[in-house]
Amino acid sequence: MNKWITIGISVAVSAFLGANAILLFSDKSVISKDVYVHDYERLATGNFEESLPKESLVAPLDTTTVYVESEDTIQDWLVKEGDAVKAGDELATLNTSTADEQREVWESEKEALERQVTEINATISSLQSDRATAQSTSSSTGNATDNVTENTDDQTVNVDVNVDVGVDVSQDGAFAQAIAEAEQKLSEVNQQLQVVDAQLAQEGAAAIISPVEGIVSTIRDKNDRLAIEIYSIDKIIVTYATDEQWQDVQVDDRVRLQADGMEQSIEGTVTQVSQVPAQDSEFLTAYKALDPKDHKNPLAYYEVRIQPKELITNLPFGNNTNAMVLVNEAQQAVAVQSAWLNNRFDNKATAHVVNKYGYAVKTPITIAFDLKTRSVITEGLKAGSVVVYEPQINDYRYAPAIFYPMPMESPSWESAKAFGWKNYLKYLAR
C-alpha cells in the first residue's frame, strides 16, 4: 500500500513540476520573464552621409561649333587651338571668290534651322498635349507618335517618339523623357541658328567669326565639313555613372570637389544625369583611363554634370578632379546596428526597444539607408531610445523584461597611482 502511495505522490509532483515548466517556459506562456541582454545601445542623433567617390574632369559648360564648307574656302587662319576669343572675333578670312557662295550656304542653313525650330516646337506641344490627356484618362490605349526629320548640309535632326498613352508612372516618365530630348534638340538647333545669324550679320561675309566668347578647342573635319569647336569660358565638372551607380546618383545631390591646384575643397551640385549612354568623346576616353574598372556593360556610361558653387579659374579643361557625390544624407538622425534588425523587407524592419517599464517591445521602423554596418532610421526610433539585441527575445510571445550587465569601470593606472596606496588601504580596512 505504501508503495503505491509513494508512486502516486511522485507522479503528482512530476506532473506539477512539468505543468509549471510548460507554463513558465513554453512559447505560449503568459508569465512574465526577465531576459539578460548583453548587447544594447542608447541612441544619439548625428549627421550621416553616404558618399560615392568618382573620378571627374573639368569641362566646358557649353561647346559651340562653327562649320565651314571646306579648307579651300579659307584664305587665312587667324586663330589656333587654345586661343581665347570674344564674340565677334574673326577666326579665319574667306577667299573672295568663295565668299558669296559661303553666304548662300549660310542663308540656306538658316532657313532649314528655322523650319526645324518650328517643327520641334510642334512636337513638344503635341507631346505635352498627349501627356495631359493621358494623365486625365485611365483607360485610353491610343499612341502618341511624332516624327521630325530635316536634312541639311551639315546635320540631320530626327526626333522620333512613340509613346503609349496611359496614366501609369512608367508611361508618364516616357513622355517626360521624350519632351526632355526634344527640348535638348531644340536648344542645339537654336544654338546653331545663333551661329548662322552671327555670320550673316557681318558685312560682305568676308570672314568666319566667333558667335561666343570662349577658347578654341579644336579645328577638325566633322561630317565631311571643317568644324571649329569653341569651349565656353564657364566650366563645369563632368563624370560618368555606370549602370550600377545610375540609380544612386540624383539631380541636386551635393558634391565635394578636390583637385591639385585647389587651395581647398569646394562644393558643387549635380545638375544633370543622362538617361542615354554617353557618346564617344575625349572626356569619356579620359574617364575610362582614370577609372579602368571592368564593368559588366561597357556601353553603360552615363554623363553626370556637376555645377561647382565657385568659379574654377585655376584649372585647365580636362584637368582631373576628385568628386565625392553625397548620394544619401540624414541630418540629426539616429542609426542602429543593421544586424540587430528583424523581419527586414526593403526599407522596413523591426527592432526591440526597451519601454519605460523595462520591457523589450518589438517596434516597426523605417530605414533611410545603410552605412557600413549601421542603418540610418527615419521613423520608429529617436534619440534616447534603448535598442537591445538578443535572439532569445524572438522566442517569447510577450515582451520580456530586460536586465543588463552590471556597469563596471576600472580605474586607469595613472588615476590609481594618483589616488595613492594609503587611501586604498583606508577603504579596505572599513
Side-chain angles (χ1 to χ4, degrees), residues 130-131 133-135 137 139-144 163-168 171 175:
D130 290 340
R131 183 183 186 184
T133 302
Q135 290 174 339
T137 306
S139 60
S140 176
T141 59
N143 292 329
V163 183
D164 290 332
V165 177
V167 295
D168 58 61
Q171 290 172 340
F175 273 113

Short mmCIF file of all heavy atoms in Angstrom, two decimals, residues 130-131 133-135 137 139-144 163-168 171 175:
data_model
loop_
_atom_site.label_atom_id
_atom_site.label_comp_id
_atom_site.label_asym_id
_atom_site.label_seq_id
_atom_site.Cartn_x
_atom_site.Cartn_y
_atom_site.Cartn_z
N ASP A 130 -0.61 65.33 -75.42
CA ASP A 130 -0.88 63.90 -75.24
C ASP A 130 -0.63 63.47 -73.80
O ASP A 130 -1.34 62.63 -73.25
CB ASP A 130 -0.01 63.08 -76.19
CG ASP A 130 -0.43 63.24 -77.64
OD1 ASP A 130 -1.58 63.64 -77.87
OD2 ASP A 130 0.40 62.96 -78.53
N ARG A 131 0.37 64.06 -73.19
CA ARG A 131 0.67 63.72 -71.80
C ARG A 131 -0.46 64.16 -70.89
O ARG A 131 -0.86 63.43 -69.97
CB ARG A 131 1.98 64.39 -71.39
CG ARG A 131 2.44 64.06 -69.97
CD ARG A 131 3.70 64.83 -69.62
NE ARG A 131 4.24 64.43 -68.35
CZ ARG A 131 5.29 64.99 -67.78
NH1 ARG A 131 5.91 65.99 -68.38
NH2 ARG A 131 5.72 64.57 -66.60
N THR A 133 -3.57 64.55 -71.74
CA THR A 133 -4.70 63.66 -71.99
C THR A 133 -4.52 62.33 -71.28
O THR A 133 -5.47 61.79 -70.70
CB THR A 133 -4.85 63.43 -73.51
OG1 THR A 133 -5.03 64.69 -74.17
CG2 THR A 133 -6.03 62.52 -73.80
N ALA A 134 -3.30 61.81 -71.31
CA ALA A 134 -3.03 60.53 -70.66
C ALA A 134 -3.23 60.60 -69.16
O ALA A 134 -3.73 59.68 -68.53
CB ALA A 134 -1.59 60.09 -70.98
N GLN A 135 -2.85 61.74 -68.56
CA GLN A 135 -2.98 61.88 -67.12
C GLN A 135 -4.43 62.00 -66.68
O GLN A 135 -4.76 61.71 -65.54
CB GLN A 135 -2.19 63.11 -66.65
CG GLN A 135 -0.68 62.93 -66.76
CD GLN A 135 0.08 64.19 -66.44
OE1 GLN A 135 -0.47 65.29 -66.52
NE2 GLN A 135 1.35 64.05 -66.08
N THR A 137 -6.97 60.44 -68.33
CA THR A 137 -7.72 59.29 -68.84
C THR A 137 -7.13 58.01 -68.28
O THR A 137 -5.94 57.80 -68.34
CB THR A 137 -7.66 59.23 -70.38
OG1 THR A 137 -8.10 60.48 -70.90
CG2 THR A 137 -8.53 58.11 -70.91
N SER A 139 -8.27 54.83 -69.13
CA SER A 139 -8.50 53.64 -69.96
C SER A 139 -8.08 53.82 -71.40
O SER A 139 -8.40 52.98 -72.25
CB SER A 139 -9.97 53.24 -69.90
OG SER A 139 -10.78 54.29 -70.38
N SER A 140 -7.38 54.92 -71.71
CA SER A 140 -7.01 55.16 -73.10
C SER A 140 -5.92 54.21 -73.54
O SER A 140 -5.02 53.87 -72.80
CB SER A 140 -6.52 56.60 -73.26
OG SER A 140 -6.07 56.83 -74.57
N THR A 141 -5.98 53.75 -74.77
CA THR A 141 -4.98 52.83 -75.30
C THR A 141 -4.37 53.32 -76.59
O THR A 141 -3.75 52.57 -77.34
CB THR A 141 -5.60 51.44 -75.56
OG1 THR A 141 -6.69 51.59 -76.49
CG2 THR A 141 -6.11 50.81 -74.27
N GLY A 142 -4.55 54.61 -76.91
CA GLY A 142 -4.01 55.15 -78.15
C GLY A 142 -2.52 55.36 -78.08
O GLY A 142 -1.88 55.12 -77.07
N ASN A 143 -1.92 55.82 -79.19
CA ASN A 143 -0.49 56.10 -79.26
C ASN A 143 -0.27 57.56 -79.62
O ASN A 143 -1.03 58.15 -80.38
CB ASN A 143 0.20 55.24 -80.34
CG ASN A 143 0.21 53.78 -79.95
OD1 ASN A 143 0.26 53.46 -78.77
ND2 ASN A 143 0.14 52.90 -80.93
N ALA A 144 0.80 58.13 -79.07
CA ALA A 144 1.24 59.47 -79.45
C ALA A 144 2.52 59.31 -80.24
O ALA A 144 3.52 58.86 -79.71
CB ALA A 144 1.49 60.32 -78.20
N VAL A 163 4.90 56.84 -77.90
CA VAL A 163 4.62 56.59 -76.50
C VAL A 163 3.18 56.11 -76.34
O VAL A 163 2.25 56.73 -76.85
CB VAL A 163 4.80 57.89 -75.66
CG1 VAL A 163 4.58 57.60 -74.19
CG2 VAL A 163 6.19 58.47 -75.90
N ASP A 164 2.98 54.99 -75.64
CA ASP A 164 1.63 54.53 -75.35
C ASP A 164 0.96 55.52 -74.41
O ASP A 164 1.52 55.88 -73.38
CB ASP A 164 1.67 53.15 -74.68
CG ASP A 164 2.09 52.08 -75.67
OD1 ASP A 164 1.85 52.27 -76.88
OD2 ASP A 164 2.67 51.10 -75.22
N VAL A 165 -0.24 55.93 -74.76
CA VAL A 165 -0.95 56.88 -73.92
C VAL A 165 -1.57 56.13 -72.75
O VAL A 165 -2.35 55.22 -72.93
CB VAL A 165 -2.05 57.61 -74.73
CG1 VAL A 165 -2.83 58.55 -73.81
CG2 VAL A 165 -1.41 58.38 -75.88
N GLY A 166 -1.26 56.54 -71.56
CA GLY A 166 -1.79 55.90 -70.35
C GLY A 166 -1.49 56.77 -69.17
O GLY A 166 -0.86 57.81 -69.28
N VAL A 167 -1.89 56.35 -68.00
CA VAL A 167 -1.70 57.19 -66.83
C VAL A 167 -0.76 56.56 -65.83
O VAL A 167 -0.55 57.10 -64.77
CB VAL A 167 -3.06 57.44 -66.13
CG1 VAL A 167 -3.96 58.25 -67.02
CG2 VAL A 167 -3.73 56.14 -65.74
N ASP A 168 -0.19 55.40 -66.12
CA ASP A 168 0.71 54.82 -65.15
C ASP A 168 2.03 55.59 -65.14
O ASP A 168 2.35 56.35 -66.03
CB ASP A 168 0.96 53.33 -65.42
CG ASP A 168 1.52 53.09 -66.81
OD1 ASP A 168 2.62 53.61 -67.08
OD2 ASP A 168 0.85 52.41 -67.61
N GLN A 171 4.65 55.24 -68.11
CA GLN A 171 4.31 55.95 -69.34
C GLN A 171 4.49 57.45 -69.18
O GLN A 171 4.95 58.14 -70.09
CB GLN A 171 2.87 55.61 -69.75
CG GLN A 171 2.73 54.17 -70.23
CD GLN A 171 1.29 53.78 -70.46
OE1 GLN A 171 0.39 54.42 -69.94
NE2 GLN A 171 1.06 52.73 -71.22
N PHE A 175 6.86 60.00 -71.46
CA PHE A 175 6.51 61.32 -72.01
C PHE A 175 7.53 62.36 -71.56
O PHE A 175 8.00 63.18 -72.35
CB PHE A 175 5.11 61.74 -71.54
CG PHE A 175 4.01 61.25 -72.44
CD1 PHE A 175 3.09 60.32 -71.99
CD2 PHE A 175 3.88 61.73 -73.73
CE1 PHE A 175 2.07 59.87 -72.80
CE2 PHE A 175 2.86 61.30 -74.55
CZ PHE A 175 1.95 60.35 -74.08
#
